[in-house]
Amino acid sequence: MGKAIVNGVGSYVPSTVITNNDLEKLMDTSHEWISTRTGIHERRVIGSTENTSDLAYKASLLALEDSGLTPEDIDLIVVATETPDHMFPPVATRLQTLLGCRTIGAYDVHSTCVGFISALQIAELYINTDKVNHVLVVGADALSKIVDYTERSTAILFADGAGAFVVSNIMDSKSEGIIDSTIHSDGQYYKDLYVIGDPNGSDNSKPKIKMNGNKIFKLAVNSMSTSVKGLLKKNKLHYDEIDWLIPHQANQRIIDAIARNLEFPSKKVISNIKYYGNNSAATIPLAFAVARREGKIKKGDRIVLTAFGGGLIWGSLIFQY
């Protein structure tokens, strides 16, 4: 049986920055109001000629370079996204040809902010059954396409970006690789976070994010905290044996509340929401890549990922880097 090792990491964010001061010009808000409630100071957004596949491509190139592999080495591509370039085909198929990969399997995962964990879980299963050796896992979203910049509750949160992992079958690696993961859903809260509108409609009916913020806050904190506790208990791991917790970057207050619930020291919690906002499936790989670049995350570290998104869906994953 194979061993699923995170073998390469890359991330990319667009160059255009929207600050809280910029949003003050569009709606009734202030930098202080936004930063106090969300922890966000700025966010990145794509240009008019960019698409989700462009974000995914640039992050993937860096992940491949980091892994020492070429596009020809990749056996499967799984892209987690809620904002594909088109309703179909999948972003993954566009990414496959942009990279110059072989005619391998390539598909998207539609699992909201939990998408990257879902995609990693898929990669692990493929590797553990010896179907593939190298999987390119990407989280990429361009949420600015579906943000209503007149609606303060959502416009202040969401942004664009991408992150990628190369997950490889490396039998002689000292790393434990992906140790375990879990995904859950509860559709009774379907309408508390969803997108309304017609992708092909007029400007007034374009897709827009709708969210019941207060309820989502409570559900996010409870579900992610419970998920992490359960996964650690199942694998007989104590918090002291975990080097880093990387939660979905939805809101700094949510991140802080999860750390308190888990009694996890804040110095071991990765957060970069201040500069990047919430870019859905991209938040976890982006946070990982930035933290590694800053010298925080090192080889051999044990890391817990946890996320929550519309559906409602939530889940966690443990791996050793």
Side-chain angles (χ1 to χ4, degrees):
M1 188 171 76
K3 196 175 182 183
I5 307 295
V6 176
N7 188 31
V9 178
S11 66
Y12 173 79
V13 291
S15 59
T16 300
V17 178
I18 294 182
T19 66
N20 292 346
N21 292 330
D22 292 328
L23 292 179
E24 289 178 355
K25 301 169 186 176
L26 300 176
M27 63 189 74
D28 180 18
T29 192
S30 68
H31 169 72
E32 182 181 3
W33 192 92
I34 298 171
S35 60
T36 300
R37 287 162 177 77
T38 69
I40 301 170
H41 287 205
E42 58 188 48
R43 68 267 321 132
R44 302 296 185 96
V45 299
I46 60 171
S48 59
T49 61
E50 287 182 294
N51 285 303
T52 298
S53 60
D54 297 310
L55 305 178
Y57 172 64
K58 291 171 182 177
S60 297
L61 285 176
L62 293 172
L64 283 166
E65 180 182 359
D66 187 46
S67 71
L69 299 174
T70 68
E72 290 79 10
D73 295 316
I74 298 300
D75 302 307
L76 175 69
I77 298 173
V78 185
V79 175
T81 186
E82 297 306 307
T83 54
D85 301 0
H86 309 284
M87 290 186 69
F88 70 85
V91 170
T93 59
R94 174 67 175 153
L95 180 58
Q96 176 263 331
T97 193
L98 285 172
L99 290 171
C101 298
R102 294 172 286 117
T103 55
I104 56 174
Y107 55 85
D108 291 356
V109 173
H110 181 51
S111 192
T112 63
C113 302
V114 189
F116 192 74
I117 291 177
S118 299
L120 284 176
Q121 188 179 65
I122 291 167
E124 179 202 8
L125 293 171
Y126 268 91
I127 287 174
N128 284 350
T129 54
D130 293 321
K131 290 183 180 295
V132 299
N133 285 316
H134 306 290
V135 184
L136 177 60
V137 178
V138 184
D141 268 304
L143 295 174
S144 62
K145 290 183 176 182
I146 55 174
V147 166
D148 180 355
Y149 283 100
T150 66
E151 188 170 315
R152 183 173 65 172
S153 63
T154 54
I156 63 175
L157 295 172
F158 297 106
D160 307 336
F165 283 6
V166 175
V167 182
S168 298
N169 181 357
I170 305 177
M171 298 298 293
D172 59 352
S173 173
K174 294 179 180 179
S175 169
E176 298 170 278
I178 296 177
I179 297 168
D180 200 1
S181 60
T182 181
I183 302 287
H184 303 274
S185 67
D186 189 342
Q188 68 173 305
Y189 301 109
Y190 181 88
K191 283 292 184 75
D192 289 309
L193 178 54
Y194 70 109
V195 174
I196 189 172
D198 179 2
N200 301 311
S202 65
D203 288 343
N204 290 333
S205 64
K206 288 290 186 183
K208 297 175 183 177
I209 299 171
K210 295 292 182 182
M211 180 174 67
N212 181 341
N214 290 333
K215 184 177 283 189
I216 287 297
F217 185 99
K218 295 174 184 176
L219 289 168
V221 171
N222 291 336
S223 62
M224 284 193 280
S225 299
T226 301
S227 176
V228 171
K229 288 177 182 177
L231 197 58
L232 290 175
K233 182 178 180 180
K234 177 186 172 187
N235 289 277
K236 299 179 180 179
L237 288 169
H238 190 267
Y239 298 109
D240 292 343
E241 298 175 275
I242 303 300
D243 296 288
W244 298 102
L245 172 67
I246 307 182
H248 169 49
Q249 309 287 295
N251 181 306
Q252 187 61 49
R253 291 194 301 157
I254 290 176
I255 294 170
D256 293 341
I258 293 168
R260 287 194 302 270
N261 277 6
L262 296 174
E263 297 181 351
F264 206 85
S266 58
K267 65 182 180 180
K268 293 170 65 175
V269 179
I270 300 295
S271 172
N272 65 1
I273 191 172
K274 179 178 181 178
Y275 301 109
Y276 299 108
N278 178 352
N279 32 58
S280 191
T283 71
I284 284 177
L286 176 58
F288 181 95
V290 171
R292 193 193 66 165
R293 192 162 60 242
E294 293 173 345
K296 294 178 180 178
I297 294 175
K298 297 178 174 61
K299 286 287 188 179
D301 286 351
R302 273 210 195 105
I303 298 159
V304 174
L305 314 177
T306 188
F308 172 95
L312 291 174
I313 307 172
W314 65 94
S316 299
L317 182 144
I318 308 172
F319 75 103
Q320 185 178 31
Y321 180 46

